[in-house]
Amino acid sequence: MQGFGWKRALLLVALVSTFGAFAATAQASSSASAYKVGVVYSRTGVLAAYGAEYIEGLRLGLLYATHGTNMVDGHPVQLNLQDTAADPATGVSEAKTLIGQGYKIIVGPVSSAVALQVAPLADQNHILFISGPAASDAITGINRYTFRSGRQSYQDVLAANSYLQGAGRKVVVFAQDYAFGQGNYAAVKAVLGGKGHTVTSILVPLTANDFTPFAQQVVQAKPDLLFVAWAGSTTAAMWQALQQQGVFKSTTVTTGLANRDTWQSYGPASDSIKFLCHYIPDGPSKKNKVNNWLIAKMKQRGQIPDLFTPDGFNAALMLVHALHKAGGDDVEKMISSLEGWKFLGPKGNMYIRPQDHALNQPMFQVALVKGSNGKYAAKVLKAIAPARVAPPITPFK
């Protein structure tokens, strides 16, 4: 009996030790198991519609890339969503809070003004920053910690370039007076100005509600081409002012086709506008399995992918790739894994240029066509290869 008790005691001690070690390991694993991702985006404010598209794409992209688990190599990916309302000061405050809480990854600004303020924080604090739909060219090459999951203004301008015929033309950029509009003006001046055209701008305050005086300035300027760069909830009112002042009768107008909610807002001018497009579901190849999955998944919910859904989707693909290849959230390893990465996104073939982290991607030329129901729908005219709209290399500062 004594021998039996002695052996039983040893067994009990071994079991307790093993259980204790397992519990300690499990506790440590549990406390460090999640990969935390801070998301600073426009849930409210003038760019709220774009923020909603981005978040939808981000969530669906995570589902796709993780085969429905939202986990990378056994680690759950947790998103902490913070609303910037497109305000740079708010975006900086939220980013600083996330960094202070130990977040090594921040994604999502819809506003260029926000992204341009968050990017330096990524450099200073050595975190991975993946900007979202923010299109300012200044984001590319700003520092090696900053990437982008969407297109940039230069790519828009190159897509629109084919609409301008002849040489020595007068081009006016009609845009909102903040980072996005200013960036578009700079890009148009660099691209079209470099081809011998004269480029000027009419920049409208972001707070403006009456656009008639600005539309009158366009008529007085008598441009050969009006390049419109606009975003947000005032889009319909802006187009109405241009129509009322007869802008479409006097000049060729080109612009990026905005999200689906705006397609009916161009009115009679719809047939006259030369549209370039970041994304519509019918644009990519029918063989694109990523886009096909996205369309089918959203159709199950009674939804359709919109303009900036791919930007969120791409960010998710980049996150999962970086975490997997780095074997965790080591920032330097994640950066190395993303530089030079080629992948298939909803739009088509994407390439992260290692020299400045530009995201080379296709663009589209489209037209709005009125259907038998009286509603306008987008028709793809041409897919533009990534090489034709690749921005110039801007090495890190």
Side-chain angles (χ1 to χ4, degrees):
M1 293 293 294
Q2 288 180 345
F4 176 76
W6 175 74
K7 290 180 180 179
R8 184 172 59 180
L10 285 178
L11 179 61
L12 181 61
V13 170
L15 286 173
V16 170
S17 299
T18 302
F19 177 78
F22 173 79
T25 302
Q27 183 177 6
S29 175
S30 175
S31 64
S33 62
Y35 292 139
K36 301 187 299 180
V37 179
V39 185
V40 290
Y41 78 112
S42 298
R43 184 175 59 82
T44 61
V46 68
L47 302 179
Y50 300 158
E53 294 166 17
Y54 173 83
I55 290 299
E56 186 73 14
L58 182 66
R59 294 189 186 281
L60 288 172
L62 278 175
L63 280 177
Y64 179 85
T66 63
H67 307 287
T69 66
N70 282 336
M71 300 178 73
V72 178
D73 299 329
H75 298 260
V77 179
Q78 294 181 354
L79 304 179
N80 184 344
L81 277 56
Q82 300 297 322
D83 180 21
T84 69
D87 176 63
T90 302
V92 168
S93 176
E94 290 169 349
K96 286 183 175 179
T97 298
L98 290 166
I99 293 169
Q101 293 173 349
Y103 281 74
K104 297 181 181 180
I105 305 170
I106 293 180
V107 304
V110 174
S111 163
S112 293
V114 174
L116 287 170
Q117 293 298 314
V118 174
L121 294 178
D123 186 37
Q124 295 162 13
N125 295 277
H126 298 173
I127 67 163
L128 177 65
F129 174 47
I130 303 177
S131 183
S136 172
D137 291 308
I139 297 168
T140 295
I142 191 169
N143 58 64
R144 61 182 299 271
Y145 292 91
T146 299
F147 292 78
R148 65 192 321 149
S149 62
R151 100 295 186 204
Q152 62 187 82
S153 298
Y154 210 104
Q155 289 161 317
D156 288 340
V157 177
L158 286 171
N161 182 49
S162 61
Y163 289 130
L164 189 60
Q165 302 298 322
R169 301 298 185 178
K170 185 177 182 180
V171 180
V172 171
V173 177
F174 190 69
Q176 293 152 303
D177 194 8
Y178 79 116
F180 171 65
Q182 295 161 3
N184 269 271
Y185 171 55
V188 173
K189 192 169 185 178
V191 177
L192 300 186
K195 296 181 180 297
H197 304 295
T198 301
V199 181
T200 58
S201 67
I202 297 174
L203 298 179
V204 182
L206 196 59
T207 55
N209 293 309
D210 180 9
F211 304 107
T212 300
F214 304 101
Q216 291 172 344
Q217 291 180 40
V218 174
V219 175
Q220 293 167 3
K222 299 179 179 180
D224 296 299
L225 178 72
L226 182 70
F227 183 96
V228 180
W230 210 271
S233 58
T234 59
T235 300
M238 178 274 296
W239 286 114
Q240 184 178 28
L242 293 182
Q243 292 167 11
Q244 291 174 345
Q245 297 306 310
V247 170
F248 299 99
K249 296 178 181 179
S250 61
T251 187
T252 298
V253 180
T254 184
T255 191
L257 184 64
N259 52 345
R260 301 179 70 88
D261 287 345
T262 70
W263 290 4
Q264 312 310 317
S265 66
Y266 301 97
S270 299
D271 297 329
S272 303
I273 300 175
K274 309 296 185 182
F275 290 101
L276 58 98
C277 189
H278 172 44
Y279 168 81
I280 57 172
D282 293 339
S285 166
K286 299 300 182 184
K287 297 180 180 180
N288 184 329
K289 64 179 182 180
V290 177
N291 193 53
N292 293 341
W293 183 94
L294 176 61
I295 293 172
K297 193 69 174 180
M298 294 193 72
K299 186 176 181 180
Q300 293 174 2
R301 308 178 180 188
Q303 300 172 326
I304 302 174
D306 217 327
L307 187 67
F308 295 122
T309 311
D311 294 14
F313 203 101
N314 288 339
L317 297 180
M318 293 168 68
L319 281 173
V320 172
H321 173 81
L323 289 168
H324 173 65
K325 288 295 184 180
D329 56 3
D330 181 285
V331 175
E332 293 298 325
K333 290 181 180 179
M334 287 192 293
I335 291 173
S336 296
S337 73
L338 289 172
E339 289 182 332
W341 186 42
K342 297 179 180 179
F343 64 98
L344 181 65
K347 289 181 65 174
N349 291 320
M350 319 292 280
Y351 171 61
I352 301 174
R353 197 164 59 192
Q355 297 96 323
D356 57 3
H357 297 174
L359 185 60
N360 287 4
Q361 59 195 279
M363 297 288 286
F364 307 94
Q365 290 183 359
V366 301
L368 284 180
V369 180
K370 183 181 285 188
S372 57
N373 59 357
K375 298 290 185 180
Y376 284 96
K379 177 183 178 181
V380 180
L381 301 178
K382 183 180 182 181
I384 306 173
R388 292 191 57 193
V389 290
I393 295 175
T394 52
F396 300 122
K397 297 178 177 62

